[in-house]
Amino acid sequence: MDDAVHSPVRLTIMCALASVDSADYQTLKDALDVSYALLSKHAAILEDAGYLVSEKTFRGKTPQTHFRLTRAGRAALAAHLEALDEIVRGLAST
């Protein structure tokens, strides 16, 4: 399993984005209750891993950043959640 998902913040970002096509920076920041710096740092790590894409646009003169998961990001999240499910099932599944 890739280390990019192993941070609670990165896992939370990926789970939040899995439920939508994309989310803007401010909405994601507010929903996760994290600082700009923390969101930027972890989004960059996910983007470097190929799990997330950030797209910068303008609304009038105001810059907007939108995030979305890539196919690889969705696959990595599904694998990570499956591994967590196995842990939760524990010995009952053996």
Side-chain angles (χ1 to χ4, degrees):
M1 196 173 339
D2 195 319
D3 288 338
V5 185
H6 285 166
S7 158
V9 174
R10 292 191 293 271
L11 180 59
T12 304
I13 291 168
M14 292 185 70
C15 286
L17 290 173
S19 66
V20 295
D21 290 333
S22 69
D24 67 80
Y25 193 97
Q26 187 64 45
T27 299
L28 194 56
K29 179 199 161 298
D30 291 346
L32 302 181
D33 194 27
V34 295
S35 69
Y36 287 109
L38 191 65
L39 179 56
S40 292
K41 175 186 174 181
H42 288 284
I45 291 168
L46 290 168
E47 192 165 21
D48 288 345
Y51 292 167
L52 177 143
V53 172
S54 64
E55 298 166 334
K56 300 183 188 304
T57 61
F58 282 86
R59 179 176 235 166
K61 293 185 179 186
T62 306
Q64 301 265 314
T65 301
H66 291 267
F67 297 110
R68 66 175 173 81
L69 290 182
T70 63
R71 285 188 182 138
R74 288 184 186 277
L77 177 60
H80 194 78
L81 294 176
E82 178 59 34
L84 290 174
D85 281 343
E86 287 181 30
I87 293 167
V88 169
R89 285 191 299 269
L91 295 177
S93 65
T94 58

